[in-house]
Amino acid sequence: MNVAVTSDVIARLHEESLRAHPEECCGILIGNEDRIEEVIPAANVALEPTRHFEIDPATLLAAHRAARQGAGREGAGKVMGYYHSHPVGRPVPSATDCEHSTGDLRVWAIIADGQVAFWRDTGNGFSPLTCHIVGSVARNDLNPNGHPKVHPNASPE
């Protein structure tokens, strides 16, 4: 399965991860169809934010409410999924992430080790998504080799 992600979203996910470090950042992915175009950062209200994440419920409700109110309007985004970082580790779902799999088929972005990986919540864990970067990639979103800072399952369009 594929998901298109704007280069601005990739850059923002890296920024949020760095800003929150050593805690996990978290937030909401907004877009349409299979294209993620925006992130909404949220406070991590987990009891142990260096090891877990919990999206602030008020931010989550507001994002769903805004998407519902914009439904049917051209350009209005919907909640495509969620993101969080793993300050220590890899950009793959952890055992805790898998325990919280709901089967809602939403996209999860995980930022870790200078990379972003995208996953689909299947209810039986997560399946990897191939990420296609759309839009121009900013210089600060490139690693020292000049390549976008995304997980190897990502490919620029």
Side-chain angles (χ1 to χ4, degrees), residues 45-91:
V45 297
L47 294 176
E48 296 180 73
T50 58
R51 297 186 51 216
H52 302 287
F53 81 98
E54 183 179 336
I55 296 172
D56 175 42
T59 303
L60 188 59
L61 287 172
H64 280 284
R65 185 175 295 118
R68 197 172 46 252
Q69 289 172 345
R73 285 192 311 211
E74 188 169 331
K78 65 179 186 175
V79 175
M80 299 288 294
Y82 315 101
Y83 71 88
H84 72 284
S85 61
H86 289 172
V88 177
R90 299 174 354 134

Side-chain angles (χ1 to χ4, degrees), residues 34 38 49 60 65 107 114 116:
D34 281 330
E38 181 183 350
L60 188 59
R65 185 175 295 118
V107 174
V116 180

Side-chain angles (χ1 to χ4, degrees), residues 14 16 45 66 100-101 129 133:
H14 284 293
E16 290 298 315
V45 297
H100 291 98
S101 174
L129 292 171
I133 300 171

Side-chain angles (χ1 to χ4, degrees), residues 22-145:
E23 295 181 353
E24 292 192 21
C25 71
C26 60
I28 303 154
L29 302 170
I30 303 294
N32 287 293
E33 305 293 318
D34 281 330
R35 180 181 169 119
I36 298 168
E37 300 174 331
E38 181 183 350
V39 300
I40 299 175
N44 181 351
V45 297
L47 294 176
E48 296 180 73
T50 58
R51 297 186 51 216
H52 302 287
F53 81 98
E54 183 179 336
I55 296 172
D56 175 42
T59 303
L60 188 59
L61 287 172
H64 280 284
R65 185 175 295 118
R68 197 172 46 252
Q69 289 172 345
R73 285 192 311 211
E74 188 169 331
K78 65 179 186 175
V79 175
M80 299 288 294
Y82 315 101
Y83 71 88
H84 72 284
S85 61
H86 289 172
V88 177
R90 299 174 354 134
V92 298
S94 66
T96 301
D97 294 338
C98 292
E99 288 173 13
H100 291 98
S101 174
T102 64
D104 62 7
L105 300 178
R106 294 202 192 274
V107 174
W108 281 38
I110 301 175
I111 311 104
D113 196 27
Q115 301 175 55
V116 180
F118 293 86
W119 305 85
R120 177 85 61 200
D121 182 348
T122 67
N124 293 318
F126 295 87
S127 59
L129 292 171
T130 301
C131 169
H132 296 283
I133 300 171
V134 294
S136 61
V137 178
R139 287 300 311 159
N140 66 351
D141 195 30
L142 301 177
N143 67 25
N145 298 326

